[in-house]
Amino acid sequence: MKPTVLQLGPLLPLVREGLAANYTHLDLGALSDAAGFLAEHGPAVDAVVSSGRNGVNAALIDALPKLRLVAHFGVGYDNVDVEYAKKKGVAVSNTPDVLTDCVADLAIALLIDVARGVSAGDRYVRAGAWLKGAMPLATRASGKRLGIVGLGRIGRAIATRAEGFDMEIRYHNRRQSPDAPYAYEHSLEALARWCDFLMVATAGGEATRGLVSKPVIDALGAKGFVVNIARGSVIDETALVAALAEKRIAGAALDVFADEPRVPAALLALDNVVLTPHIASATTDTRRAMGQLVLDNLESFFRDGRAVTPV
Ligand code: 8YV
């Protein structure tokens, strides 16, 4: 008897095809009456495939009494109630490592963009402004001070890239990483005061909600930049928008936002920001690798009772 796997929302063809070939595959996203479908089919579901856009809360877990695994498409699983899942004996897996390089690449790209005005320069040329005069001078990135909030796998990959730009690196974590080859700042405000670029690379969720607060943003100061490739929830977005509008910080490059895909209108009007639509892992190569890891997690779990990359 094939396990029954429920897809919660849109997934890559690779994943959909893998689910259809190996499991009794149900697709909740394709239905108008999700509640009715869950009432009828929920008791048969052995695993769900979730993603950043389609999470798993306690109510969904309760609607799936036979659920044994949440196979999450993504490294961040802040929209999965892991505590409740584990309380109900439901395992959770995610897709770490395979996306680290792409996320770190975009983090550096965003840093360079906001410092040097790459996107702003593109708009400047397209608007015909160059015909009237040169763009204002920008900010050098090489050799500057990079403060990393969250020196995990992605944070370390960003640091490795930043070393190639001769950047001086410090970091802040909940606790110091003994093997980290960078100076540790016990206080996030102290890190913000020290650095030129504050790189937000920490996990999302309640533990980090609003971590980059107004005092941290104020400590960064008028020559400082924020780059966020983590989660919009980690930054006090209202405080960030105000600081940018009032030029109390120099700029921000944001791939994630508090209420995606909606972005505060005030940000859209600012020229000292770079805005991207949560694309840090969005390359063909990486998304395929993430999709394959979801399938590998399901296969491993149903074969051996353990996922490849459990959280
Ligand atoms: C996800 C992400 O892939 O992996 C993460 O945590 O933020 C993205 O790379 C995207 O949200 C789809 O789940």
Side-chain angles (χ1 to χ4, degrees), residues 51-52 73-76 99 231 278 281 287 290:
S51 71
F73 179 92
V75 65
L99 48 61
R231 283 290 184 270
H278 201 150
S281 69
R287 287 293 171 87
M290 292 166 67

Side-chain angles (χ1 to χ4, degrees), residues 110-171:
L110 289 174
L111 186 154
I112 300 291
D113 189 333
V114 74
R116 297 298 306 275
V118 177
S119 301
D122 181 87
R123 291 193 298 273
Y124 192 83
V125 173
R126 293 174 192 270
W130 195 14
L131 299 170
K132 299 167 189 163
M135 248 181 86
L137 296 179
T139 298
R140 174 189 171 113
S142 286
K144 291 293 180 65
R145 292 176 167 183
L146 177 66
I148 298 177
V149 186
L151 195 71
R153 287 171 282 216
I154 291 173
R156 286 175 186 247
I158 294 168
T160 300
R161 285 157 175 77
E163 288 179 77
F165 288 86
D166 298 319
M167 297 188 88
E168 193 180 349
I169 299 160
R170 291 185 185 179
Y171 74 100

Side-chain angles (χ1 to χ4, degrees), residues 32-82:
S32 55
D33 177 17
F37 182 87
L38 285 174
E40 182 180 354
H41 299 284
V45 172
D46 298 291
V48 298
V49 177
S50 55
S51 71
R53 298 298 292 274
N54 300 97
V56 177
N57 60 19
L60 179 59
I61 292 170
D62 287 342
L64 307 173
K66 206 176 137 197
L67 185 64
R68 299 167 58 205
L69 174 67
V70 173
H72 189 70
F73 179 92
V75 65
Y77 46 88
D78 45 302
N79 63 346
V80 176
D81 191 337
V82 176

Side-chain angles (χ1 to χ4, degrees), residues 204-236:
E206 288 314 306
T208 60
R209 186 174 298 279
L211 183 67
V212 180
S213 61
K214 181 179 185 304
V216 172
I217 293 166
D218 290 345
L220 182 59
K223 292 186 178 178
F225 295 84
V226 173
V227 181
N228 191 3
I229 45 84
R231 283 290 184 270
S233 61
V234 180
I235 296 182
D236 177 339

Side-chain angles (χ1 to χ4, degrees), residues 280-297:
S281 69
T283 64
T284 306
D285 319 63
T286 287
R287 287 293 171 87
R288 284 186 63 83
M290 292 166 67
Q292 186 55 54
L293 185 46
V294 166
L295 296 174
D296 295 346
N297 275 319

